[in-house]
Amino acid sequence: MAHKVFGILNLHSAPELGPLTKSRSIGAASFMGRYAFMDFPLSNFSNSGIDEVGILVKNHLRSVLKHLGSMQSFTLNTKIGRHTIMFNESAHNKEMKNTDLNNLLKNDWVFFESKADYIVIQPTHVVCKIDFVPLINEHVRRGEKVSLIYAKVNNATKTFLTHDLVFLKEDYVRTFKKNQKEQKEAFVSLETYIINRDLFFEILEEIQKVKTNATIEDAIKRFNGKLYKIHAIAHIGYVRSFASLEDYYNFSQEILDYRYAHQVFLKDWPLYTLTRDTTPALYSSKAHVRNSFIANGAYIEGRVENSVIARNVQVLKGAVVKNSIILSDTIVGENTSINYAVVDKYCRLFNSVKIEGEQKAPTYVEQGKKT
Amino acid sequence: MNNQIVAMILAGGKGTRLEALTRKIAKPAVSYGGKYRIIDFPLSNCANSGIDRVGVLTQYESVVLDSYIGNGEKWGLNGVRSLTTTLHPRQTEEGLSWYKGTADAIFRNLDFLDSLKPKYVLILSGDHIYQTSYKKMLEQHIARSSDCTISVIEVDPKEASRFGILVTDESGSIVEFQEKPRNPISNLASMGVYIFTYKVLRNALVRDARKADSSHDFGKDIIPMMLKGRKKLHAYVFDGYWKDVGTIASLHEANMELLLNKHPDTVSVIKGKNAIYSEDTHSHPQYIGKKAKVKNSLINQGAIILGEVERCVISNEVVVAEGAIVKNSVLMPGVKIRANAKVDNAIVAPETTISQGEEINLDGEEVILVTNRRKR
């Protein structure tokens, strides 16, 4: 990367995934058996050569720290690179005050140590590949002050409901509008920005004069057309926004189809994550597995179809897991059957229990459940 | 314990009997168990024993092995008190020379050992598969004030002539050592795992280096010399799974033993309380396809299985295409089995492609090694 860039991963702006995020940040929630959601934006930073990163954490700090560990999983150069957790202690139980902007200002020392000229902001609930290198080069070449990454979608009445729709005039954002589910085809904001550093801090100052407890996005949108014009950059390719347990279930199931899987797992775009020295997955001679993702450490003796099996999960003799997502360290005991369900971590499902959800409303089994 | 002992791992061998598998990499770097390399075993054993100063002696085709070992991070051997380093033959004032034998390799690194001031030195082989902690062996060495403790395993008396055989008295003192004897009088085989009191080892190595007729080998020269010199040598009996994977057939067998119902210790070897650590590749989770059949197999992350596999050990980034049938085989990293190909009883070397419809070793009783250089 020719330019000095500071990456911000913003965990404040993420919606909840129902019970799955009751006691953990969506950034740390398990995805596809091996990843956490924040692995995707953090890998975008790493693969784009952005080695100075701040992670704005709103709540459930413990789950974020557990996944990030020493953060060397994502750092390109362990001396030069720096991943900093930014957390607003004084506002952690004051919902109104606990904004990304207040968090960032409380932790402004992080920027005193940085020589970056440009800031890149990504949310954690949007899964897509973004190579920032050409985008930042274009931003600089054109002399832009703020750029927004958006995507053209044809199902905006069903997804991206928490996102803004953007309306363009030539290459610039004319206005932002809340998604009112009125149009299927739309340009949606991916809440991903490239912004010049000095301007960024200037507008963070300005917004506080006119609005209390504003967010970073409030500031960026507020001064559009006044101090700058937001340059719009289209994202081409796979992109999904996760805003509910149903989204989580449906988009996981979708990736079982190889046409989608190969857009998520790209050869030239490694996804970095916390690794755990688990053994390869072991299948018994009775195992029957079809159309599923299986993580390392799994032990499969029973039947698994159309499912995602995370690390260290055991599916014992006579057990059947169909159309489900099983999170790590859960044991599906003998003759237990699970269909259309999301089963959280550390469950012990014995005594031939039957867990049956519906395709449109998968059943959720809470962490540590014993039967 | 940390500041008393240093481990030296002998990892310079070519492993000629592994054929093309070791054409470009040293034997300790050969893949095993879908995810591991053989050297993960002694290095993890050191980590689990609290030994965090480790020298790895490399020589033959050492580039892959050296970069794999790095600073020992993969085994946690990069802590604040740790030191992990590879030790190659080097140019000195006397000139340049290769390691001439196992003892010579250690002799040429006495300066390294001197600088660490160890009381004991643990000598290990980089190409054996077993899981242990060396703590008890060291405790025995200290308790018996031994000069040298040799780890032994009981082998089938019929097989004994393949090994270095130790004869002990009832107290466990070693009275005789026979290197691959024609008529073995004991079934205690040396595992090539030695703990020496450093002072004694240092003297022995210096003496041996002066002998023009010595082959500078621990088994052939150092141990017999110490026995002759009435040093205190004791056997430490190891009880567990231990495998010297010297040939294609034994490497295949060791892989198959990881599968269920093959060997009582199976995966507990790599999963148990002394876990084996290794490299975690940045692979996606493995995918098992709509028409796939997977039975009795061990499969690493990054693999894509669309065909049929049975009794297989499969590494990362392997693809088994639709209609392909693979049985009793070991597929090393990056192997591609194209549609409708059939493979039986084989080790398929890393990055090998089996063409569409190709048939490999279908009626073969012997295990074969398959590489891209095969005749088609």
Side-chain angles (χ1 to χ4, degrees):
Chain A
M1 173 77 63
H3 306 285
K4 280 292 287 173
V5 179
F6 189 99
I8 294 176
L9 172 60
N10 189 355
L11 303 189
H12 282 261
S13 58
E16 298 288 326
L17 300 183
L20 196 64
T21 50
K22 202 176 116 198
S23 61
R24 60 169 77 89
S25 163
I26 175 175
S30 164
F31 185 53
M32 297 318 289
R34 180 171 157 76
Y35 304 101
F37 278 96
M38 62 184 154
D39 293 340
F40 291 82
L42 288 174
S43 296
N44 282 340
F45 282 142
S46 300
N47 289 328
S48 303
I50 298 172
D51 210 9
E52 211 178 0
V53 174
I55 300 155
L56 290 170
V57 183
K58 183 184 178 192
N59 50 18
H60 303 308
L61 181 63
R62 186 200 52 79
S63 65
V64 175
L65 291 177
K66 186 182 174 205
H67 183 73
L68 289 176
S70 67
M71 280 171 275
Q72 294 204 351
S73 306
F74 303 93
T75 312
L76 298 168
N77 181 300
T78 55
K79 295 282 176 186
I80 300 164
R82 203 156 59 95
H83 281 58
T84 311
I85 298 275
M86 298 161 82
F87 182 65
N88 188 355
E89 266 175 41
S90 60
H92 85 277
N93 54 7
K94 296 176 189 131
E95 179 68 27
M96 294 297 287
K97 282 205 162 136
N98 195 2
T99 63
D100 50 5
L101 194 151
N102 285 340
N103 183 347
L104 194 136
L105 293 177
K106 278 274 178 202
N107 291 290
D108 56 358
W109 58 270
V110 176
F111 293 92
F112 299 160
E113 293 178 1
S114 170
K115 293 193 173 68
D117 299 314
Y118 303 94
I119 309 269
V120 174
I121 306 171
Q122 285 185 92
T124 193
H125 59 291
V126 177
V127 172
C128 62
K129 169 207 163 176
I130 300 177
D131 184 352
F132 288 107
V133 175
L135 306 190
I136 291 165
N137 288 342
E138 183 72 357
H139 176 92
V140 176
R141 191 188 61 78
R142 289 174 60 118
E144 302 294 352
K145 291 177 174 168
V146 183
S147 293
L148 165 75
I149 323 288
Y150 72 95
K152 185 184 172 188
V153 299
N154 53 20
N155 53 356
T157 52
K158 286 190 178 137
T159 68
F160 292 95
L161 301 181
T162 64
H163 291 246
D164 283 324
L165 306 186
V166 291
F167 297 87
L168 307 184
K169 190 177 176 192
E170 288 160 358
D171 289 342
Y172 293 92
V173 178
R174 185 164 50 82
T175 113
F176 291 89
K177 257 171 124 182
K178 282 215 154 60
N179 185 355
Q180 308 277 19
K181 305 192 206 176
E182 283 162 352
Q183 55 185 98
K184 278 188 172 174
E185 282 205 2
F187 293 158
V188 293
S189 161
L190 297 186
E191 299 170 13
T192 301
Y193 295 93
I194 302 166
I195 181 164
N196 297 4
R197 176 193 177 136
D198 293 340
L199 175 73
F200 182 60
F201 285 97
E202 195 184 315
I203 62 172
L204 295 189
E205 287 291 322
E206 286 302 312
I207 190 77
Q208 293 180 87
K209 293 176 190 162
V210 293
K211 189 171 192 280
T212 48
N213 298 328
T215 66
I216 293 173
E217 261 207 306
D218 287 341
I220 294 172
K221 292 191 297 199
R222 177 85 177 214
F223 302 108
N224 184 28
K226 300 183 182 80
L227 299 176
Y228 45 79
K229 290 199 290 181
I230 299 177
H231 171 226
I233 302 171
H235 168 77
I236 311 290
Y238 176 91
V239 58
R240 296 290 180 271
S241 173
F242 292 71
S244 65
L245 188 69
E246 287 70 30
D247 285 347
Y248 177 76
Y249 177 80
N250 292 335
F251 297 148
S252 299
Q253 285 287 316
E254 182 184 69
I255 298 175
L256 288 173
D257 184 334
Y258 205 69
R259 284 173 302 176
Y260 294 98
H262 86 256
Q263 298 179 58
V264 178
F265 305 124
L266 298 154
K267 269 212 176 92
D268 58 347
W269 204 256
L271 294 168
Y272 307 106
T273 188
L274 178 71
T275 57
R276 297 189 202 168
D277 286 298
T278 38
T279 63
L282 184 66
Y283 299 81
S284 88
S285 52
K286 299 261 159 54
H288 177 102
V289 182
R290 293 281 161 86
N291 194 35
S292 296
F293 276 102
I294 314 281
N296 268 13
Y299 171 63
I300 313 288
E301 216 175 347
R303 219 179 161 89
V304 177
E305 287 177 25
N306 310 324
S307 294
V308 178
I309 305 292
R311 288 191 226 232
N312 296 331
V313 166
Q314 300 181 29
V315 178
L316 302 182
K317 208 160 59 181
V320 180
V321 177
K322 282 185 180 173
N323 310 306
S324 294
I325 299 167
I326 315 288
L327 301 193
S328 57
D329 298 285
T330 278
I331 300 176
V332 182
E334 287 186 16
N335 303 317
T336 290
S337 84
I338 300 175
N339 196 8
Y340 296 116
V342 175
V343 180
D344 212 317
K345 299 178 178 183
Y346 308 111
C347 292
R348 299 283 177 272
L349 306 175
F350 287 101
N351 297 314
S352 308
V353 70
K354 272 197 171 30
I355 295 164
E356 184 87 30
E358 286 168 39
Q359 187 169 11
K360 286 193 176 154
T363 297
Y364 170 79
V365 180
E366 67 187 18
Q367 178 169 310
K369 173 102 174 169
K370 287 189 177 130
T371 61
Chain B
M1 182 179 287
N2 161 71
N3 55 3
Q4 292 194 331
I5 190 161
V6 172
M8 297 290 266
I9 302 180
L10 298 160
K14 181 173 179 193
T16 317
R17 291 171 302 159
L18 289 178
E19 303 165 29
L21 272 185
T22 52
R23 189 173 289 137
K24 288 309 285 178
I25 58 171
K27 180 173 160 192
V30 166
S31 298
Y32 168 75
K35 166 166 177 168
Y36 305 90
R37 293 181 190 260
I38 297 171
I39 195 143
D40 288 334
F41 287 79
L43 283 166
S44 300
N45 288 340
C46 285
N48 289 325
S49 309
I51 299 170
D52 49 20
R53 298 185 297 173
V54 182
V56 184
L57 297 115
T58 65
Q59 174 158 285
Y60 173 78
E61 280 294 353
S62 59
V63 174
V64 172
L65 186 55
D66 288 348
S67 60
Y68 184 68
I69 290 164
N71 67 347
E73 190 188 354
K74 297 181 182 78
W75 308 276
L77 295 169
N78 61 332
V80 286
R81 299 187 307 183
S82 311
L83 172 69
T84 306
T85 186
T86 48
L87 300 163
H88 319 92
R90 52 188 144 154
Q91 199 161 22
T92 62
E93 281 180 37
E94 288 85 44
L96 172 70
S97 75
W98 298 107
Y99 295 149
K100 291 188 198 81
T102 50
D104 183 53
I106 305 295
F107 172 74
R108 285 174 191 280
N109 289 290
L110 285 179
D111 56 346
F112 170 75
L113 285 170
D114 286 344
S115 72
L116 299 178
K117 302 187 178 70
K119 213 165 167 191
Y120 308 103
V121 174
L122 171 67
I123 307 283
L124 301 171
S125 164
D127 46 16
H128 294 161
I129 291 168
Y130 64 110
Q131 176 235 33
T132 192
S133 159
Y134 304 111
K135 275 182 197 162
K136 282 205 173 130
M137 185 179 170
L138 180 61
E139 278 164 22
Q140 182 193 304
H141 182 87
I142 295 169
R144 305 197 67 166
S145 314
S146 308
D147 294 313
C148 172
T149 303
I150 304 178
S151 189
V152 296
I153 187 163
E154 289 185 25
V155 295
D156 184 344
K158 280 179 263 169
E159 299 266 299
S161 59
R162 285 176 46 219
F163 298 92
I165 294 296
L166 298 170
V167 184
T168 55
D169 64 16
E170 58 276 17
S171 72
S173 285
I174 298 167
V175 292
E176 204 184 326
F177 180 85
Q178 308 170 307
E179 182 68 27
K180 296 181 184 160
R182 229 176 256 169
N183 300 307
I185 51 171
S186 148
N187 68 336
L188 293 179
S190 164
M191 293 162 62
V193 174
Y194 310 95
I195 291 176
F196 288 97
T197 299
Y198 181 52
K199 225 190 262 175
V200 181
L201 173 68
R202 199 182 193 291
N203 288 338
L205 289 174
V206 171
R207 270 184 65 192
D208 174 72
R210 292 197 199 109
K211 288 187 181 167
D213 58 342
S214 173
S215 53
H216 310 296
D217 183 88
F218 276 100
K220 290 192 195 106
D221 307 290
I222 301 294
I223 301 303
M225 183 171 81
M226 288 178 76
L227 279 173
K228 233 173 161 184
R230 300 192 173 275
K231 298 290 178 199
K232 279 193 275 181
L233 283 81
H234 292 107
Y236 172 84
V237 181
F238 173 83
D239 181 24
Y241 182 85
W242 178 80
K243 197 104 188 171
D244 177 4
V245 285
T247 61
I248 292 298
S250 68
L251 179 62
H252 182 269
E253 187 181 78
N255 273 285
M256 291 298 127
E257 280 169 351
L258 289 171
L259 302 179
L260 282 177
N261 311 323
K262 279 286 181 181
H263 190 281
D265 290 327
T266 56
V267 169
S268 68
V269 173
I270 48 182
K271 216 175 188 171
K273 71 172 165 29
N274 292 328
I276 300 302
Y277 314 113
S278 186
E279 176 178 39
D280 240 322
T281 52
H282 297 294
S283 312
H284 55 75
Q286 62 187 272
Y287 175 70
I288 310 296
K290 283 182 182 154
K291 296 175 186 164
K293 256 191 200 168
V294 176
K295 303 270 182 212
N296 201 11
S297 294
L298 186 68
I299 306 182
N300 197 19
Q301 59 201 21
I304 298 173
I305 312 295
L306 306 176
E308 194 177 320
V309 301
E310 193 172 352
R311 293 186 301 280
C312 286
V313 173
I314 297 179
S315 298
N316 45 294
E317 279 42 82
V318 165
V319 179
V320 177
E322 262 185 44
I325 302 174
V326 185
K327 289 183 176 172
N328 309 308
S329 293
V330 177
L331 308 183
M332 290 190 166
V335 164
K336 309 282 178 263
I337 311 284
R338 302 279 190 230
N340 304 318
K342 291 188 175 71
V343 179
D344 198 1
N345 246 353
I347 290 181
V348 185
E351 306 299 333
T352 301
T353 299
I354 307 293
S355 318
Q356 190 172 340
E358 194 178 348
E359 296 187 349
I360 303 272
N361 204 28
L362 288 195
D363 302 309
E365 281 177 17
E366 273 187 31
V367 174
I368 61 161
L369 174 69
V370 186
T371 70
N372 275 333
R373 292 192 186 188
R374 70 193 181 279
K375 284 178 197 154
R376 285 182 232 193

